[in-house]
Structure formats: C-alpha cells, structure tokens
Amino acid sequence: MEDLRPVDRKILKLLEKDARLSYADIATVVGLSEEDVRARVDDMERAGIIRGYKGVIDWERLDSDGVSAIIELKVTPKAGLGFEEVAARVAKYPEVEAVSLMSGAYDLNVVVRGKTFHEVAYFVAHELSVIDSVTSTATQFVMRRYKEFGVNLTEDEPDGRGQISL
Amino acid sequence: MSGLNYEKILSRTVQDITPSGIRKFFDIANTMEDVISLGVGEPDFRTPWQIRSAGIRSLEAGATRYTANRGLESLRRAVADYVLRKYAVEYDPASEVLITVGGSEAIDAAIRAITEPGDEIIIPQPSYVCYDPLVRLAGGVPVILPTKAEHDFKVTPGELRALLTSRTKALILPYPCNPTGAIMEKADLEAIAEVLRDTDILVLSDEIYAELTFGGKSHVSPASIPGMKERTVTINGFSKTFSMTGWRLGYACGPAPLIRQMTKIHQFAIMCAPTTSQYAAIEALERCDEEVARMREEYDDRRRIMVAGFNRLGLSCREPKGAFYAFPCIESTGMTSERFCERLLYEKRVALVPGTAFGASGEGFVRASYCYSIEHINGALARIEEFLKSLKK
C-alpha cells in the first residue's frame, strides 16, 4: 500500500488498544467516514500491517492446566540464510506461540505452550534440540503471568470515584 | 446533647452559603447501584507511575518534614520553568510563585488577599462552584456574568464592561471552563485586556485545565497578553493535568506584592503544602510531557465519541475545546436540567450533572464528563437514547 498516513497510524493505535472498537467509533475519532475507515483497515490487512485480532485471555482464571515456557536457542547461522531458515522452521510448530531473534547471549527466543510440563519438555528435547543448527537450548517455565499485551492480569483496581463530583 | 444555640454560634455568612438543592440529588446518585455515571470531574487515569515513584523515593529518603511556607525552592523553580516553557510568562520563583494545597487553596488565598467588605468580584457562569462562596466568605460581593452559548460561553468585552463599577476588584477567568469546555483564545483575551487597561482590576485566571485543550488550540494564558501580567494572578495545579487529584497540590503565579500577602494567609492557615506531593510534582513538571500527551490524546478520542453521540441523539452539543466535559443542550426535551438529570438517573440509571449546579445560567444544559472509557461512554449514550425515546411515547 501507499505510505502510511498519520490517520492510519491513529487507526492502528486505536485497534491495538481495543480491536473491538466499532468502525463507526473509529470514524468519529479520526474524522473519516465509516466506509473510509473500513477501506483503510482492509488495505492495512491486505498489506500485512494488521496481522490479526485476538483476545487477551487469562487462562489461569479457569482451571486450565496449560503451561508456557520460554526457550532460549543458540543457533549456528547458515551461510546466506542467517537465522531465517531455522526461525521459519521453528515457527511452523503449532506449539510455538512466538519466535524472536535476540541480541545478547543467545539467538532465538521461543515461546512454547503445551498442556503439561512434560509435554513441553518432550517437545524441546525431541523437536527443537534435534534441529541441526541448534547448538543448545535453555528452558524456563512461566510460573505466573501478571501483564500481557499491556493488559494487567492481576486484580483490577476499583475505580474508587463516586458517581458525581463537581 | 448540649443546649448550645448553634444558630447563634455559627457564622451568619457561612450559614447563608447553602449547599444547593442539587446536593440532595448528588447524595442519592452517589449511593445508587448499577449507575453508569458521566458525573465525575476527576481523571480516571491513575497518577503516572514515575510521579508516584518520585513521591515514594522522597519518603524513603526521609523527606517527611514541613517545607518552606511558599513551597520547596526546587519546586518553585520547576513551576517557573514550566510556566515559561508552556505559556511564555516569566516568573521569579523566589517572589512570584506560591505552592498551595490544590488550585482551590490558591483561589481562596487570592480572593482573601484582595477582598475588602463590599468589594465586587465578577464571576462568569456557568463555572466551577467555588468562586461565589469563597468571595462571600471573604466578605466580598459576587457579581455574576452569565456567559452565553451563542458566544461559546466566552466572556465578551461588552458584557464585562456593563458590570464594572467603582467597587469592582477582580475578574475571575475560569478557562478552559468546567463545565462548558469553553476556552478563551488570544483575540478574546486581548479584547478583555483592552477593557481592563487603565483600571485597578485584578484578573484571577484559574487555568487548572490549561493542558487539556483540543483541536490544535493550545492554551493562552491571560498573563501572556501585553500589559496583563502585572494585573493577573494565574492559578494552576496538578490534579487534572497529571491525574493527581488526591495529592492536593497547586500553585499561584503572580505579582510579588500579591503573592506576599497570599503567602501570609497560606502560612497561617496551612503552613505548607504536603511535602511528598511537592517532591512528586517536580517529576511531573520536568519529565512527564509524554504522559500528559498520551492522556490528552485519549481524552480527545473520548471527547469526539461523546460529542458526536449527543448530537446524534438530538441533544445539540457544541465542540468543547478544553477541560474534559461536554455540555449538551437539553431544552428540546422541555425539561429543566435538574428534572432531566433526576429522571434520567431514576429511570435509566445514568448520572449527569445539571447545568444549574454551575450557576443559574447553566439552565437548559447538562454536564457530561468524558473521564471514562469509550465503552463506558457508549453504554451511557445507549441508555440516554432509550430515555429520550421513552419521552416521545
């Protein structure tokens, strides 16, 4: 798509904060028609700028037995391909929620989600660590999540204000 | 029970300041359940963490004593730098800045420092509720200047001139305005300055909402108009800009002779503003522009949703240019603003504030605060829509 305009950035910020905001409300805020907003959003989806819309869910509030782990991978980069090939390969696993290339002591940061501790451990041992260019793995299990996607997962602070003040 | 005759013991002046009938409505609203309120004049944001953290650090460092009466020197310097940077007015932190317990105390001290019995102080209304009682407590006479919707609730030079008498001591300029959202732009202020030139009338400019202006209009401080600095006391504070209502901190900037007298009142009534708050405030002034911009942008988003919403419902609503309130007109319903708010509260559980809470000239209007999330505002608008439909049946 053509260069992003300031209004597009504003639309993105609004959607990033609340993807359920209606086109009508977005239109009111940015001063475009609803049709124009819809068209801008469609364009940004097609251009791959908007990659999806997901809920922020605190599974720990349910009796969910899922576990997450952060796996640090050290990788020997391939000539001409760098880390791209191995990163793309790791990203293919449905168990993998996130893959990032890091500066510092290791190369790829991989977030893995599984049903049990055992399942994640098995996945690391039998899938990730056996990839040729992976030279080492370090697995850290997530004990508790406090904040995700900028959303606080701990108890909400009550509003504390009355109904009316001047 | 004692047999004390309270009628006799209590000051006549204080007793005559009646909490308006609206008070009852407020008390009821504040205890009702399932209310979607647009009634609160207080930011929903928490104080930015870095400001809270600065307060905590000062406590850890043991800064738990009184400060100088007029406030920490470092804070007064920070205030002077901030006011110069934001509003292009230069003040001497040693003699022209006083740190107070909220903007409210600064307003009180300024009024008391100038008022002799019988002095007239002009108060534009609709406006925040403190000016009239504070003038009365100081023995002065409030002279109300009703601002008009067709003038965007600004003070016009003609209206001002018509109220001037030999007893006029001061003009209060409460802009950006709670509840109307009106602002005074440079040309508006120049016209007022023209009226006041060659008079001995002081301007008390309450600029507590100065950082909350919208639509590319930044706040113009009356003191920045040529010839006005010497006759203006500017009052501001941390509550609205930095979401610091509970810290109770404000300040006054003005001519040294006035600040000196205000400092006396402050010294005997208050000693000094809260020490922890003063340390936190330095952080706010010096390093929180981005936080303020972020909150302002969010208020602006909500403002647009709310104004468009009221207009869609047929309650005509001017674009508020400052503060965080919409002030839609409810005359089309044929109700008084108090009746409208009462019925809306009882029938649909939405809390708004009747325009008359801010002076008789607020009749026909209601105040809706947008210190609430868009979701919350939409929820309230939906109930107001139901209410309006029910009226037509």
Side-chain angles (χ1 to χ4, degrees), chain A residues 4-166:
Chain A
L4 220 53
R5 297 186 304 196
V7 67
D8 294 323
R9 282 185 192 279
K10 179 70 191 178
I11 293 171
L12 292 173
K13 275 171 79 176
L14 290 168
L15 286 175
E16 188 178 39
K17 202 165 70 189
D18 179 6
R20 297 184 67 197
L21 203 59
S22 69
Y23 285 127
D25 281 342
I26 296 173
T28 302
V29 170
V30 302
L32 292 177
S33 70
E34 209 174 316
E35 295 69 46
D36 282 346
V37 169
R38 198 180 293 270
R40 306 301 303 169
V41 170
D42 286 349
D43 280 354
M44 289 190 284
E45 286 178 0
R46 265 195 299 275
I49 295 166
I50 296 172
R51 305 302 297 222
Y53 306 85
K54 298 182 82 171
V56 182
I57 294 159
D58 187 1
W59 289 107
E60 286 166 30
R61 290 194 186 224
L62 304 171
D63 288 329
S64 154
D65 50 1
V67 289
S68 297
I70 293 164
I71 326 285
E72 301 173 359
L73 294 188
K74 284 189 183 161
V75 176
T76 314
K78 285 225 172 108
L81 291 168
F83 295 97
E84 304 300 310
E85 190 191 35
V86 64
R89 179 166 171 192
V90 171
K92 284 201 173 74
Y93 291 101
E95 293 90 336
V96 170
E97 289 199 329
V99 185
S100 320
L101 179 63
M102 310 300 287
S103 67
Y106 64 100
D107 304 305
L108 292 182
N109 180 302
V110 181
V111 179
V112 174
R113 195 169 167 79
K115 283 199 191 65
T116 60
F117 177 90
H118 182 74
E119 189 182 286
V120 172
Y122 189 91
F123 174 77
V124 174
H126 292 266
E127 299 291 342
L128 294 185
S129 59
V130 298
I131 297 171
D132 271 350
S133 49
V134 171
T135 58
S136 78
T137 68
T139 303
Q140 285 125 10
F141 282 93
V142 174
M143 312 268 286
R144 189 175 173 199
R145 298 181 305 162
Y146 296 97
K147 191 177 182 184
E148 199 153 278
F149 300 109
V151 177
N152 215 334
L153 302 183
T154 53
E155 290 307 316
D156 292 330
E157 294 173 83
D159 184 311
R161 299 177 297 168
Q163 318 280 18
I164 285 192
S165 72
L166 293 169

Side-chain angles (χ1 to χ4, degrees), chain B residues 166-170 196-203 231:
Chain B
S166 58
R167 296 305 306 266
T168 306
K169 204 60 170 292
L196 298 181
R197 201 179 307 277
D198 307 320
T199 69
D200 278 324
I201 297 171
L202 185 84
V203 169
R231 64 167 71 251

Side-chain angles (χ1 to χ4, degrees), chain A residues 10 25 158 161 163-165, chain B residues 30 37 42 297 301 367 378:
Chain A
K10 179 70 191 178
D25 281 342
R161 299 177 297 168
Q163 318 280 18
I164 285 192
S165 72
Chain B
N30 275 326
S37 173
E42 175 173 11
E297 184 175 347
D301 295 349
R367 190 193 77 173
N378 279 331

